[in-house]
Amino acid sequence: ISDSSLIYSRVLNRGCFEMNGRYYSRLSSIERSYRRHITVNGQRLVELDFKSLHIRLAYNLEGLNPPSVDCYDLGEVGRGIPRALVKALALIMLNISNGRGLNRALHNQWAVTLRKAQAERTYCSEMGLPQPDAITGLPDLWEPDDIRRCKAAILEAHRPIAGTYLMNGQGL
């Protein structure tokens, strides 16, 4: 990769330092299946995966221990809700200030997720690699009732952080 791909920029939530943000580079947008082949100065790039990172950070910021299981597994309250929907919605709920834009934000994010999943499936097929199955069989669009049920389950399962970090615009 070129040196210009290693340049990072910070994207601030709502354009201010007080609302946190994230660092991005051109590497951030490369599909997962491609990233495993990236080298820098001949060294293979290592990608660390921190499971349920944002939910866990919210618990830690409150001085609480996060659930010891996958934070996107909502247990009984989330029975039958696909993990992919829980993850997408929970991440949006951590950054949105109220519920009005929730459905639109989810549908926009879900469209990106589906495009990335299709690109990854195509790449794996071309390379003779096993197919990823995290998105297989999920709808192109979520029904409002699915979204309401998932939102309620997330708020219930993560009640200790709901008042401070979910749907109040705090962001992480």
Side-chain angles (χ1 to χ4, degrees), residues 41-54:
N41 296 328
Q43 297 292 313
R44 186 170 300 274
L45 188 68
V46 175
E47 182 175 11
L48 302 177
D49 185 8
F50 297 94
K51 298 290 183 199
S52 312
L53 176 66
H54 292 93

Side-chain angles (χ1 to χ4, degrees), residues 30-91:
I30 295 174
E31 301 300 328
R32 178 180 304 236
S33 52
Y34 294 113
R35 291 192 301 255
R36 69 180 120 204
H37 302 290
I38 296 173
T39 60
V40 176
N41 296 328
Q43 297 292 313
R44 186 170 300 274
L45 188 68
V46 175
E47 182 175 11
L48 302 177
D49 185 8
F50 297 94
K51 298 290 183 199
S52 312
L53 176 66
H54 292 93
I55 295 285
R56 290 181 185 285
L57 284 173
Y59 274 90
N60 287 328
L61 288 169
E62 286 296 296
L64 302 170
N65 290 325
S68 59
V69 297
D70 177 0
C71 293
Y72 302 126
D73 177 351
L74 304 179
E76 279 303 309
V77 297
R79 181 177 295 280
I81 301 174
R83 184 185 186 279
L85 174 58
V86 174
K87 180 178 180 179
L89 195 58
L91 292 174

Side-chain angles (χ1 to χ4, degrees), residues 93-109:
M93 289 171 69
L94 281 167
N95 290 292
I96 200 164
S97 60
N98 60 50
R100 286 189 302 239
L102 193 65
N103 289 16
R104 185 178 67 248
L106 176 63
H107 289 306
N108 290 343
Q109 180 57 44

Side-chain angles (χ1 to χ4, degrees), residues 7 9 22 46 51 55 68 90 113-114 125 145 149 162-163 165:
I7 296 172
S9 61
R22 298 179 88 174
V46 175
K51 298 290 183 199
I55 295 285
S68 59
T113 298
L114 291 175
S125 179
D145 285 344
R149 181 170 171 257
Y165 289 100

